[in-house]
Amino acid sequence: MSMKYDIPQLDHNTRFALWQVKMRAILTQAEVDDALDKFGNKDSKSWTDEKKKDHKALTQIQHHLSNNILQDYLQEKIAAALWLKLESICMSKDLTSKM
């Protein structure tokens, strides 16, 4: 199955930290993110299946966030924690706007 992702090209005006998160999300979904392991202290080969699944979910969510929202939640490393924070922020805004 071929997946197409829209990600802005990296240029001098692009915020690299946000571009990097989205690019890692794409690489994770394509299951080639281990190609970057040698550049950091990550050892994804020792991850459990559950950890790999969580990482895929996390990167998929990160990939679908705007840069404005993503920059506020970069510290989240678990998909469920990110989801709950987004839910609490966005649901409270919805409720406030409906009132």
Side-chain angles (χ1 to χ4, degrees):
M1 170 171 57
S2 174
M3 292 186 229
K4 182 178 183 306
Y5 296 102
D6 291 325
I7 184 171
Q9 290 185 339
L10 181 62
D11 62 23
H12 294 292
N13 298 320
T14 305
R15 294 190 56 198
F16 178 73
L18 299 175
W19 179 89
Q20 183 181 36
V21 169
K22 290 188 176 191
M23 181 53 71
R24 283 191 178 271
I26 290 170
L27 295 173
T28 296
Q29 295 307 308
E31 297 181 357
V32 294
D33 56 320
D34 57 345
L36 300 178
D37 286 347
K38 62 184 171 188
F39 295 109
N41 295 329
K42 298 183 179 1
D43 184 15
S44 63
K45 291 175 182 27
S46 65
W47 287 3
T48 64
D49 286 341
E50 187 174 322
K51 175 68 176 165
K52 288 178 185 178
K53 188 182 291 188
D54 181 74
H55 185 66
K56 278 188 166 192
L58 177 68
T59 58
Q60 190 69 288
I61 295 168
Q62 289 172 330
H63 182 69
H64 287 86
L65 296 177
S66 72
N67 286 350
N68 292 335
I69 293 176
L70 179 60
Q71 68 187 2
D72 294 334
Y73 298 101
L74 284 175
Q75 74 280 1
E76 295 302 329
K77 303 297 181 203
I78 299 171
L82 175 58
W83 186 265
L84 289 173
K85 284 194 175 184
L86 291 171
E87 191 174 69
S88 69
I89 298 298
C90 295
M91 295 299 275
S92 66
K93 285 182 181 178
D94 272 355
L95 184 59
T96 303
S97 67
K98 287 181 181 179
M99 294 176 124

